[in-house]
Amino acid sequence: MTVSGESADDAEGEGTRAEVPGRSGAAVTSPAAHGRDLPHPAREEIRLESVLHALSDPMRLRIVRELAAEGRELSCSDFVLPVTKSTTTHHFRVLRESGVVRQVYRGTAKLNGLRADDLDALFPGLLGRVLEAADRQAGRV
């Protein structure tokens, strides 16, 4: 099994990969040999309940809204959140393990990209509707 979007031959450090349970309950594909690769669920492993759980937290929804607005990968340091660094790390892990974002290392930066194509393929319109509702809510509050 491979990280979503990569074949075993494409992944750096071609190593053995094993499925491990993520904190969100979804199985994630874990690279065993290359410490800088982060585990992500393959598209077919993304579960609706994990996605909804990830999007239910205001800080995580804020991260997703910023990624959607930018339309490109952002580093963790691009986000200014009113929480500790360890809590920010936790939020990014939940988003990654649920399949909402993809995190990759580029040099020393950890970049985050919204997995909009995967989410739209599995749950058509869900991400767009959630983002629209979040925008409407932000306008009311």
Side-chain angles (χ1 to χ4, degrees), residues 42-48 51 99 115-126:
R43 178 185 281 187
E44 63 275 2
E45 296 170 326
I46 296 173
R47 307 266 316 169
L48 178 60
V51 171
R115 292 180 67 178
D117 290 345
D118 288 336
L119 294 173
D120 285 339
L122 293 167
F123 318 112
L126 175 67

Side-chain angles (χ1 to χ4, degrees), residues 20-134:
V20 295
R23 290 178 187 235
S24 64
V28 291
T29 305
S30 175
H34 195 276
R36 300 282 288 177
D37 291 337
L38 297 165
H40 298 85
R43 178 185 281 187
E44 63 275 2
E45 296 170 326
I46 296 173
R47 307 266 316 169
L48 178 60
E49 56 271 22
S50 295
V51 171
L52 293 174
H53 169 73
L55 296 175
S56 70
D57 181 88
M59 285 300 113
R60 293 192 291 263
L61 184 56
R62 179 174 169 173
I63 292 167
V64 170
R65 289 180 70 207
E66 287 185 37
L67 285 169
E70 287 294 322
R72 63 183 177 88
E73 292 178 330
L74 296 173
S75 73
C76 292
S77 62
D78 289 330
F79 296 88
V80 180
L81 302 174
V83 295
T84 65
K85 185 176 178 180
S86 63
T87 301
T88 299
T89 299
H90 166 74
H91 287 311
F92 278 109
R93 180 179 351 185
V94 171
L95 289 167
R96 176 175 40 84
E97 289 181 350
S98 68
V100 175
V101 301
R102 174 169 312 288
Q103 291 185 304
V104 294
Y105 280 103
R106 300 249 168 74
T108 59
K110 189 187 296 184
L111 296 181
N112 303 278
L114 192 57
R115 292 180 67 178
D117 290 345
D118 288 336
L119 294 173
D120 285 339
L122 293 167
F123 318 112
L126 175 67
L127 182 60
R129 292 293 194 181
V130 168
L131 293 171
E132 287 171 14

